[in-house]
Structures are given as structure tokens and as C-alpha cells.
Amino acid sequence: MTEAEFTSRVFSGIQPSGGLTLGNYLGALKRFAQAQDQGIETIYCMVDLHAITVWQDPVKLRHATRELCAGFIASGVDPEKSILFNQSQVSEHAQLAWIFNCVARMGWMKRMTQFKDKAGKNAENASLGLFGYPALMAADILVYHATHVPVGEDQKQHLELTRDIAAKFNHDYSVDFFPITEPVIEGAATRVMSLRDGSKKMSKSDPSDMSRINLTDDADTIAKKIRKAKTDPEPLPSEVAGLEDRPEARNLINIYAALSDKSVDQVMADVGGKAFSEFKPMLADLAVAQMAPISDEMSRLMQDEAEIDRILTVGADRARAIAAPILKKTYEIVGLVGS
Ligand code: TRP
């Protein structure tokens, strides 16, 4: 994310489906905070309407939404500088999604690989909401006329669909109304892999809690998980090229680089050739220094749910102030009668 890429408005969203990991922090939250601190207008959304495209326990959903809000703030997203809110409080998202349901084509939606993955073998039994998920995502972005959307590699196809929807709307109604959004795809370097298997992505749904660092882990747990992370018996290579075919070593080096804001080359210059018995305590110290304050801040924030709800409501009001006029104009373009 360089400064030049963000001359306009940044939007991104995360599903409150429970459990944030170091992967969410390095791949999304930390970058979101950095974009905000470059003085760019940033809008960050907890996409609860997306979460319910697969069944969510209501009590857990409420908790996960508040915890995600705490995670954003603890990671440096300042609700005064950024707009921080949950999607369902700004009904313009769902309203524009309906318009987009009428713009997007069945054939486009059927090609979405995430739908195929999530629906699995029994697609007939998937919710209609899951099928329409990408049209709601396009609405999230375009209801703010957002120009830049930082996401992971897995969301690339959805962003291409967002561009297609914007272009078809503009074409069908002979307007130049919705911007063609730029994806800002997270690089492979920030991809955090499992601590138990360097070929798998670090995931909140992995059965082994030792495979991940949760944003809610305390200092001792973080240090223990790094100490026990899977490695191979060789010391670290002296050069980056030596990390090839050593996914666990590569992952720990990547994490070190991302946490210390250094390049992999710089890190290798510092730690190349060291044994894991020497490198792991360095990584554990770094991870504890960076991550334990986040987990402390999250649990502090979670003690005052009313305050979190207040922050989300203020954010929703600010978001609606941008979204409402854009939706109104969209209704006019489409020919819906109203004041
Ligand atoms: N689909 C995104 C994901 O699962 C979440 C999301 C919903 C999103 N709406 C968005 C991301 C709009 C960016 C912009 O990661």
C-alpha cells in the first residue's frame, strides 16, 4: 500500500464469524491501520449480513461482532480517524445489493469459485444469500464510491465482479456513476501459514489451537506457541534462496519480517545461519512485544460492551451520511419514484 495508490477512498470488510488470528492482523488489520495513518479516507466494516449467509448462532454473532470491533481498535484502527461500523446498521448496503441483484447475471455468479467452495457438493441446499454474496459485497464497496479495496488474494474474483457490476450498471443506464474499483491485493509475503504445517494457511478453523496465534492469546501462550512451532532440524540458511522447500522456516521468517516491518532479505541478513534454538526466542520476544498489547487492549475493550456498541453506532451514522445520497441518486437513475 503506497501513498499514491490511495488518492481517494478505501473500503474493506471482515466477517464477524469469530476468532481473529495473527494472519488477520498481518494481512488485514495492520494494513488497514497503516492506510488510515497515511491520511486517506478509510471505511472499515464488520460484514454481519455476509456472515449470516451461512447459519450463525445469534449469541455468538453478537459477541463476534463486538470482538471484531475491539480487534480493529486494538490493532490501531482509530474510530475517530476511520469510519468503523457493522454493515446491518446501514441499510443502504442491502438496498443497493437488491439493485445489483438485478444487474448481475446468473452466469457471472455461477462462476464464483468461493460459492462453489462454500456450497460444496450440495449447492441446492446453499442459501440464496450465499449465492448473492458477491452482489452484496459490490454494494458494500460501491455505496461509498470507494476506489481502493485492500483484500486477500481469495477475494480477487469478487472484486472483478464488482468492476463488472459497476461497468454494466453504467452502461445499461448510460451514466458514469459507479467507479471501477482498484483491488489492492495482499502480497504472498504477508500470508501467514499454520505453525504446525507450513503449507496450510493459518486458520481459525484448524482443529489444533497450536497451529495459530489468536489475537486473544496472552503473552505466555504466544511465546509457547512459537517455541513449539514445527521446524526442520537444519539451522536457518544463510540466504533467502535456501528457504525454498522449507515452508516452516520460511513462514517463521515471514512472520518475523512482517512483525518487524523489515524485508525478508533484511531479516535473513540478521538471522541467517542461526539455529532455531536461537531464532525462536528472538521471534517469541518480538511476537509477544507486538501482539500481547493487542490482546490486552481487546480484553479491556470487551469489558465495556456498551462503549463498543456506541462506537459502532457513531460509525454507522457517519457511513450512512456518505451512503444515503449515493443510494438516492442510484434510485433516481434506475427510475424509482420517491422524494
Ligand atoms: N468477502 C470478504 C471476505 O470474506 C469480506 C467482505 C465483504 C469485503 N464485503 C467486502 C471485503 C467489501 C472488501 C470489501 O474476506
Side-chain angles (χ1 to χ4, degrees):
M1 273 196 217
T2 66
E3 204 157 350
E5 283 179 291
F6 290 107
T7 49
S8 201
R9 188 177 276 155
V10 175
F11 180 95
S12 196
I14 300 184
Q15 291 196 47
S17 40
L20 288 167
T21 69
L22 180 66
N24 298 111
Y25 174 69
L26 293 175
L29 296 167
K30 184 178 175 183
R31 287 154 36 97
F32 293 174
Q34 284 169 344
Q36 158 199 282
D37 293 336
Q38 286 169 18
I40 304 152
E41 185 176 15
T42 42
I43 307 177
Y44 299 126
C45 183
M46 278 130 264
V47 290
D48 46 10
L49 297 176
H50 277 112
I52 60 165
T53 58
V54 297
W55 193 80
Q56 303 290 329
D57 178 279
V59 173
K60 288 188 186 152
L61 177 61
R62 245 187 303 273
H63 182 264
T65 303
R66 291 174 177 140
E67 193 172 75
L68 177 53
C69 180
F72 267 102
I73 297 171
S75 300
V77 173
D78 177 344
E80 307 254 320
K81 293 189 197 156
S82 293
I83 297 182
L84 188 63
F85 71 108
N86 60 313
Q87 187 185 29
S88 59
Q89 285 206 73
V90 181
S91 51
E92 283 77 3
H93 290 240
Q95 290 173 286
L96 185 61
W98 180 259
I99 305 284
F100 287 170
N101 281 343
C102 303
V103 173
R105 306 288 92 184
M106 291 289 286
W108 300 0
M109 309 304 273
K110 280 187 185 157
R111 284 196 283 276
M112 293 294 116
T113 56
Q114 185 169 297
F115 174 76
K116 290 189 234 176
D117 292 347
K118 283 200 184 177
K121 286 202 174 68
N122 198 358
E124 290 292 312
N125 200 37
S127 73
L128 189 52
L130 189 66
F131 190 64
Y133 181 117
L136 177 59
M137 180 163 162
D140 295 339
I141 297 164
L142 294 174
V143 85
Y144 302 100
H145 279 188
T147 51
H148 292 79
V149 184
V151 283
E153 180 73 33
D154 63 335
Q155 295 301 309
K156 209 170 153 185
Q157 196 186 27
H158 287 161
L159 289 188
E160 279 158 13
L161 185 93
T162 301
R163 293 160 67 96
D164 290 343
I165 289 176
K168 183 164 164 59
F169 182 97
N170 289 345
H171 174 267
D172 288 357
Y173 293 100
S174 306
V175 288
D176 187 14
F177 185 60
F178 287 117
I180 308 302
T181 308
E182 286 300 327
V184 184
I185 305 287
E186 159 206 342
T190 47
R191 202 156 156 209
V192 179
M193 310 306 279
S194 159
L195 299 178
R196 302 263 94 219
D197 176 351
S199 67
K200 281 202 296 193
K201 208 171 152 179
M202 182 178 285
S203 163
K204 65 180 179 197
S205 44
D206 191 297
S208 165
D209 192 57
M210 293 301 285
S211 72
R212 64 182 157 262
I213 291 171
N214 304 299
L215 249 52
T216 49
D217 285 342
D218 63 18
D220 288 347
T221 310
I222 296 168
K224 183 181 84 188
K225 285 177 175 176
I226 302 246
R227 269 199 322 270
K228 301 221 160 153
K230 186 181 166 199
T231 51
D232 55 42
E234 303 296 318
L236 286 165
S238 51
E239 285 173 16
V240 181
L243 289 169
E244 246 177 78
D245 305 323
R246 296 181 65 186
E248 284 81 20
R250 167 98 224 184
N251 186 37
L252 295 184
I253 292 288
N254 272 355
I255 293 173
Y256 193 98
L259 285 173
S260 59
D261 286 314
K262 288 185 182 159
S263 70
V264 168
D265 284 321
Q266 279 172 310
V267 172
M268 288 306 284
D270 295 346
V271 305
K274 286 194 195 300
F276 282 108
S277 56
E278 199 181 339
F279 172 63
K280 276 182 166 179
M282 292 171 68
L283 178 58
D285 286 348
L286 178 64
V288 167
Q290 302 259 319
M291 304 311 292
I294 295 180
S295 118
D296 289 348
E297 177 67 356
M298 275 178 79
S299 53
R300 191 188 67 76
L301 289 164
M302 284 301 278
Q303 275 158 25
D304 190 352
E305 286 187 352
E307 173 64 6
I308 291 189
D309 293 1
R310 192 195 61 81
I311 289 169
L312 289 175
T313 303
V314 170
D317 289 342
R318 289 172 63 201
R320 199 177 304 108
I322 302 172
I326 292 175
L327 182 75
K328 185 172 188 296
K329 181 80 188 146
T330 309
Y331 275 23
E332 272 168 37
I333 292 170
V334 171
L336 304 175
V337 173
S339 56

